[in-house]
Amino acid sequence: MDERPPRSPAGVGEALREAGVDADGASPTEGFLANAPQGPFAGLYNGLAGAAWADWLFMIGLAAIGAALLLGIGMRIAAAGGALMMLLMWSAVLPPENNPFMDDHLIYAIILIGLALVKAGDTLRLGERWSGTRLDQRFPILK
């Protein structure tokens, strides 16, 4: 009898297995934080590798930032959180292999801040509707 886990609705698990990736129960932080960090912060990041709280915080942060950017709601917080996450990933691999000031993590951080500054959330009008709510008017950081 086949004892593989049930297939996900999007078929992601099946595609990963076909590619030879065993992701069942894998930690989203362990692979990168245990192997990639170098330089002055390597010990700090190696110590975080595979910690359950770091896995949860990383995945919840990615989901919240992604949802906020897609919906255009909470762009300021999403841009700040995303830029912080990019800076932390940049600091994990110091010194970078290429130019330390033109690293892709720094470019993405600048782009995230730029999205918030140009009010990119208003493009599909969801950000405009959100701006009209009492919650957003009471706490402007939520724009």
Side-chain angles (χ1 to χ4, degrees), residues 28 52-67 85:
W53 65 268
D55 292 341
W56 279 95
L57 190 62
F58 180 67
M59 295 306 291
I60 289 170
L62 285 178
I65 291 166
M85 193 175 285

Side-chain angles (χ1 to χ4, degrees), residues 102-119:
M102 292 302 289
D103 185 70
D104 59 336
H105 297 98
L106 297 179
I107 302 282
Y108 292 143
I110 291 167
I111 289 171
L112 286 169
I113 298 298
L115 288 173
L117 291 175
V118 300
K119 297 183 179 180

Side-chain angles (χ1 to χ4, degrees), residues 13 45 109 128 135:
Y45 288 116
E128 285 181 2
L135 181 64

Side-chain angles (χ1 to χ4, degrees), residues 15 28 34 44 63 72 76 80 113 135 141 143:
L44 170 71
R76 291 179 182 174
I113 298 298
L135 181 64
I141 190 76
K143 286 191 188 297

Side-chain angles (χ1 to χ4, degrees), residues 41-108:
F41 302 114
L44 170 71
Y45 288 116
N46 289 147
L48 297 176
W53 65 268
D55 292 341
W56 279 95
L57 190 62
F58 180 67
M59 295 306 291
I60 289 170
L62 285 178
I65 291 166
L69 291 173
L70 285 172
L71 296 173
I73 296 172
M75 289 291 291
R76 291 179 182 174
I77 291 176
L84 176 64
M85 193 175 285
M86 288 291 116
L87 290 174
L88 288 171
M89 288 182 195
W90 172 75
S91 72
V93 293
L94 282 176
E97 292 178 14
N98 300 315
N99 187 337
F101 302 107
M102 292 302 289
D103 185 70
D104 59 336
H105 297 98
L106 297 179
I107 302 282
Y108 292 143

